[in-house]
Structures are given as C-alpha cells and as structure tokens.
Amino acid sequence: MVYNFLGEFFSTFLLLLLGIGLCIRDSKLTRIKISSYWGLGIYIGSIVGSWFGSSKMNIVFLLLDFMNEKISFIIFLIKLIGEIFGAIFATLIILKNSRKINTEINDFAALASINSNSKAFILEAVSTFSMIVTSNLLDSFIYPTLKPIMMSLYMSLLIFWLCPITGASFNPIRDFVPRVTFVFWENNYNNFHRSILSSNVAPLLSTFVYIVLKQHFRS
C-alpha cells in the first residue's frame, strides 16, 4: 500500500512540477514548448512512479482500473490520495519559489481560452476518450518499457493541439487540485469556475462512457 501511495505521489508531483513549473518560468512560451514541457513531465513522472509500481497520475486511469477490478477500492483511494498530495506539494513549491506569480489562475491550471464552454467540454471529453483508447492499445501492442515514451508523445500532440483552445487538461488532478491550492494561497477566485466542466467533469464523463461501451461490446 505504501508503494501505491509513493508511486502516485512522486509521479504526480513530477508531472506538475515540470509541466506547470517550466511553463510559468518560460518568458517566451510557445505551443511547442508547452507540449514539450508537459510531455517531459508525463515521461519522467511515469518512469519514477514505475519504480514504485504505480504511475497513473490521473484519476481517469484509477477509475478504469477500479471498474475493471484490477485494484480494490482501498487501493484506489490510496493511489488517489497520493495523486492529490503530489499535486498539492508540487503547486506549493511552485508558488513559493517562482518569481513570476501572476494574479490570474491560468498559470496554475487549465483554462478554456474559447468562449464556448460546450465546445471546450466536447473537445476535452473526446480527447480523454482518445487518451484512454490509446493507452489500452499501447498495453496490447508494445513492450511495457516503451509505453511511457509513446504515451508522452501522444499526450504532447494532444496538448499541442488543444492548449490554445481548452487549456488541454484531460485530468482533474492536473487542473482542480492546483486550482484550489492557488485559490487558498493567493486568496484569488478570479476565473476559478471558468473551466471546471471542461477540465474536470468532461474527463470523468468520458471515462464513464468508455466503461459503458466496453461492457456493452463485451456482452
């Protein structure tokens, strides 16, 4: 159980520390740099977490494992708590040490940059669904040691495409936890609700749809 917690803690910690940290310290940020930084965070987080035996870094994959009876509810909770604490710790370090602290929250969490919340919701849901499908395909057709590389490359492409449109989250841990941490740290509620649906509800709904469809085709 300890390794499940530590794996998710360190992998999520590194994901956010590199993803958010590198982005806010780069004064000449571009779409390519954003996708590269997050891809690097995903890759390094996956490698380090795998040393402890767990590197999901996303409640979406934890839910899939639980619904597929790969992990018990207790293990699900332990891993989820590890992800939450890893995300909080990374965000606090960034807030404390960064010289570039803006009063807006969009440096610390995904924010939709389009006015259409429904469009952002759909794009995040579809992207999450494709992420789940890609992860399962990689499990079936490539060596496990290659999966972190392939998955980080795929996620980098998704982020490159979506970051100027939706903020490219696909992960409530990546979005909501830093968002809440930032609010308490800065006592700043600006834009707090702007992408809650697209960055948090959409991935969870997409996960539920995937599970239902998989069970339907199995039967």
Side-chain angles (χ1 to χ4, degrees), residues 11 41-51 54-55 57 148:
S11 59
I42 292 167
Y43 177 71
I44 293 179
S46 296
I47 296 300
V48 173
S50 66
W51 294 344
S54 186
S55 58
M57 300 177 286

PDB file of all heavy atoms in Angstrom, residues 11 41-51 54-55 57 148:
ATOM      1  N   SER A  11       5.068  10.497  -8.992  1.00  0.00           N
ATOM      2  CA  SER A  11       4.803  10.663 -10.421  1.00  0.00           C
ATOM      3  C   SER A  11       3.953  11.906 -10.669  1.00  0.00           C
ATOM      4  O   SER A  11       4.239  12.703 -11.581  1.00  0.00           O
ATOM      5  CB  SER A  11       4.110   9.425 -10.989  1.00  0.00           C
ATOM      6  OG  SER A  11       2.883   9.156 -10.327  1.00  0.00           O
ATOM      7  N   GLY A  41       7.150  16.053 -18.427  1.00  0.00           N
ATOM      8  CA  GLY A  41       6.604  15.741 -17.106  1.00  0.00           C
ATOM      9  C   GLY A  41       5.919  14.389 -17.069  1.00  0.00           C
ATOM     10  O   GLY A  41       6.076  13.634 -16.106  1.00  0.00           O
ATOM     11  N   ILE A  42       5.156  14.088 -18.113  1.00  0.00           N
ATOM     12  CA  ILE A  42       4.473  12.791 -18.196  1.00  0.00           C
ATOM     13  C   ILE A  42       5.483  11.650 -18.256  1.00  0.00           C
ATOM     14  O   ILE A  42       5.342  10.637 -17.559  1.00  0.00           O
ATOM     15  CB  ILE A  42       3.553  12.746 -19.431  1.00  0.00           C
ATOM     16  CG1 ILE A  42       2.385  13.731 -19.246  1.00  0.00           C
ATOM     17  CG2 ILE A  42       3.018  11.329 -19.670  1.00  0.00           C
ATOM     18  CD1 ILE A  42       1.600  13.980 -20.516  1.00  0.00           C
ATOM     19  N   TYR A  43       6.523  11.832 -19.067  1.00  0.00           N
ATOM     20  CA  TYR A  43       7.517  10.768 -19.236  1.00  0.00           C
ATOM     21  C   TYR A  43       8.303  10.514 -17.946  1.00  0.00           C
ATOM     22  O   TYR A  43       8.393   9.382 -17.482  1.00  0.00           O
ATOM     23  CB  TYR A  43       8.479  11.115 -20.370  1.00  0.00           C
ATOM     24  CG  TYR A  43       9.570  10.088 -20.548  1.00  0.00           C
ATOM     25  CD1 TYR A  43       9.287   8.829 -21.072  1.00  0.00           C
ATOM     26  CD2 TYR A  43      10.876  10.370 -20.172  1.00  0.00           C
ATOM     27  CE1 TYR A  43      10.283   7.878 -21.219  1.00  0.00           C
ATOM     28  CE2 TYR A  43      11.881   9.429 -20.321  1.00  0.00           C
ATOM     29  CZ  TYR A  43      11.575   8.183 -20.840  1.00  0.00           C
ATOM     30  OH  TYR A  43      12.563   7.241 -20.980  1.00  0.00           O
ATOM     31  N   ILE A  44       8.863  11.571 -17.364  1.00  0.00           N
ATOM     32  CA  ILE A  44       9.663  11.410 -16.152  1.00  0.00           C
ATOM     33  C   ILE A  44       8.788  10.928 -14.996  1.00  0.00           C
ATOM     34  O   ILE A  44       9.196  10.057 -14.215  1.00  0.00           O
ATOM     35  CB  ILE A  44      10.368  12.730 -15.795  1.00  0.00           C
ATOM     36  CG1 ILE A  44      11.408  13.065 -16.869  1.00  0.00           C
ATOM     37  CG2 ILE A  44      11.041  12.634 -14.422  1.00  0.00           C
ATOM     38  CD1 ILE A  44      12.157  14.354 -16.646  1.00  0.00           C
ATOM     39  N   GLY A  45       7.583  11.473 -14.882  1.00  0.00           N
ATOM     40  CA  GLY A  45       6.673  11.009 -13.845  1.00  0.00           C
ATOM     41  C   GLY A  45       6.357   9.537 -13.983  1.00  0.00           C
ATOM     42  O   GLY A  45       6.313   8.800 -12.992  1.00  0.00           O
ATOM     43  N   SER A  46       6.147   9.087 -15.216  1.00  0.00           N
ATOM     44  CA  SER A  46       5.849   7.665 -15.466  1.00  0.00           C
ATOM     45  C   SER A  46       7.024   6.778 -15.065  1.00  0.00           C
ATOM     46  O   SER A  46       6.833   5.721 -14.446  1.00  0.00           O
ATOM     47  CB  SER A  46       5.530   7.449 -16.945  1.00  0.00           C
ATOM     48  OG  SER A  46       4.364   8.140 -17.318  1.00  0.00           O
ATOM     49  N   ILE A  47       8.229   7.198 -15.411  1.00  0.00           N
ATOM     50  CA  ILE A  47       9.417   6.395 -15.100  1.00  0.00           C
ATOM     51  C   ILE A  47       9.632   6.297 -13.600  1.00  0.00           C
ATOM     52  O   ILE A  47       9.832   5.205 -13.050  1.00  0.00           O
ATOM     53  CB  ILE A  47      10.665   6.997 -15.780  1.00  0.00           C
ATOM     54  CG1 ILE A  47      10.536   6.932 -17.304  1.00  0.00           C
ATOM     55  CG2 ILE A  47      11.920   6.267 -15.320  1.00  0.00           C
ATOM     56  CD1 ILE A  47      10.395   5.543 -17.872  1.00  0.00           C
ATOM     57  N   VAL A  48       9.594   7.443 -12.922  1.00  0.00           N
ATOM     58  CA  VAL A  48       9.845   7.447 -11.475  1.00  0.00           C
ATOM     59  C   VAL A  48       8.740   6.689 -10.733  1.00  0.00           C
ATOM     60  O   VAL A  48       9.009   5.883  -9.842  1.00  0.00           O
ATOM     61  CB  VAL A  48       9.954   8.896 -10.946  1.00  0.00           C
ATOM     62  CG1 VAL A  48      10.046   8.900  -9.422  1.00  0.00           C
ATOM     63  CG2 VAL A  48      11.177   9.580 -11.556  1.00  0.00           C
ATOM     64  N   GLY A  49       7.488   6.937 -11.108  1.00  0.00           N
ATOM     65  CA  GLY A  49       6.386   6.240 -10.455  1.00  0.00           C
ATOM     66  C   GLY A  49       6.446   4.737 -10.651  1.00  0.00           C
ATOM     67  O   GLY A  49       6.097   3.967  -9.744  1.00  0.00           O
ATOM     68  N   SER A  50       6.912   4.315 -11.824  1.00  0.00           N
ATOM     69  CA  SER A  50       7.000   2.876 -12.114  1.00  0.00           C
ATOM     70  C   SER A  50       8.012   2.169 -11.222  1.00  0.00           C
ATOM     71  O   SER A  50       7.919   0.965 -11.006  1.00  0.00           O
ATOM     72  CB  SER A  50       7.348   2.649 -13.588  1.00  0.00           C
ATOM     73  OG  SER A  50       8.648   3.127 -13.881  1.00  0.00           O
ATOM     74  N   TRP A  51       8.990   2.899 -10.701  1.00  0.00           N
ATOM     75  CA  TRP A  51       9.943   2.306  -9.754  1.00  0.00           C
ATOM     76  C   TRP A  51       9.229   1.830  -8.501  1.00  0.00           C
ATOM     77  O   TRP A  51       9.666   0.879  -7.854  1.00  0.00           O
ATOM     78  CB  TRP A  51      11.017   3.324  -9.368  1.00  0.00           C
ATOM     79  CG  TRP A  51      11.921   3.723 -10.506  1.00  0.00           C
ATOM     80  CD1 TRP A  51      12.070   3.082 -11.700  1.00  0.00           C
ATOM     81  CD2 TRP A  51      12.793   4.858 -10.550  1.00  0.00           C
ATOM     82  NE1 TRP A  51      12.970   3.749 -12.498  1.00  0.00           N
ATOM     83  CE2 TRP A  51      13.443   4.839 -11.814  1.00  0.00           C
ATOM     84  CE3 TRP A  51      13.087   5.889  -9.664  1.00  0.00           C
ATOM     85  CZ2 TRP A  51      14.367   5.818 -12.193  1.00  0.00           C
ATOM     86  CZ3 TRP A  51      14.015   6.856 -10.034  1.00  0.00           C
ATOM     87  CH2 TRP A  51      14.644   6.821 -11.276  1.00  0.00           C
ATOM     88  N   SER A  54       3.543   2.232  -9.511  1.00  0.00           N
ATOM     89  CA  SER A  54       2.290   2.915  -9.825  1.00  0.00           C
ATOM     90  C   SER A  54       2.571   4.322 -10.336  1.00  0.00           C
ATOM     91  O   SER A  54       3.223   5.120  -9.666  1.00  0.00           O
ATOM     92  CB  SER A  54       1.391   2.999  -8.585  1.00  0.00           C
ATOM     93  OG  SER A  54       0.134   3.539  -8.899  1.00  0.00           O
ATOM     94  N   SER A  55       2.079   4.620 -11.548  1.00  0.00           N
ATOM     95  CA  SER A  55       2.330   5.943 -12.138  1.00  0.00           C
ATOM     96  C   SER A  55       1.164   6.352 -13.040  1.00  0.00           C
ATOM     97  O   SER A  55       1.360   6.718 -14.190  1.00  0.00           O
ATOM     98  CB  SER A  55       3.639   5.944 -12.926  1.00  0.00           C
ATOM     99  OG  SER A  55       3.607   4.953 -13.945  1.00  0.00           O
ATOM    100  N   MET A  57      -1.108   8.936 -12.420  1.00  0.00           N
ATOM    101  CA  MET A  57      -1.090  10.408 -12.448  1.00  0.00           C
ATOM    102  C   MET A  57      -2.416  11.030 -12.874  1.00  0.00           C
ATOM    103  O   MET A  57      -2.475  12.212 -13.183  1.00  0.00           O
ATOM    104  CB  MET A  57       0.024  10.932 -13.381  1.00  0.00           C
ATOM    105  CG  MET A  57       1.412  10.513 -12.985  1.00  0.00           C
ATOM    106  SD  MET A  57       2.687  11.080 -14.151  1.00  0.00           S
ATOM    107  CE  MET A  57       2.406   9.958 -15.521  1.00  0.00           C
ATOM    108  N   PRO A 148       5.747   4.464 -21.733  1.00  0.00           N
ATOM    109  CA  PRO A 148       5.898   5.857 -21.279  1.00  0.00           C
ATOM    110  C   PRO A 148       6.333   6.805 -22.392  1.00  0.00           C
ATOM    111  O   PRO A 148       5.863   7.942 -22.452  1.00  0.00           O
ATOM    112  CB  PRO A 148       6.970   5.755 -20.183  1.00  0.00           C
ATOM    113  CG  PRO A 148       6.855   4.371 -19.676  1.00  0.00           C
ATOM    114  CD  PRO A 148       6.513   3.547 -20.888  1.00  0.00           C
TER     115      PRO A 148
END
